[in-house]
Amino acid sequence: MRHMMIRSILAMIWAAGAVMNGVRGNMQMCLFYLLLCGLCLAAAYSIWKKQKQQ
């Protein structure tokens, strides 16, 4: 459970960074942060799904 929460929090931080870079007009870093956010969310979802099956 702890790993899922940590990865979810990291995903929120990366999403906030993506929004800030999008507002500033730095689209390259915005897309990079969105990619990191998606990876963290995918990892958290897979952990959640695995725990749900047990």
Side-chain angles (χ1 to χ4, degrees), residues 8-53:
S8 298
I9 291 169
L10 281 174
M12 286 186 256
I13 292 171
W14 288 122
V19 168
M20 291 302 294
N21 278 301
V23 168
R24 291 180 183 168
N26 190 355
M27 285 299 162
Q28 186 177 15
M29 289 304 289
C30 178
L31 293 174
F32 177 68
Y33 288 152
L34 282 175
L35 174 69
L36 290 174
C37 175
L39 289 173
C40 285
L41 283 176
Y45 178 73
S46 69
I47 291 170
W48 175 73
K49 194 172 184 181
K50 195 180 294 184
Q51 286 179 351
K52 189 177 176 183
Q53 290 175 354

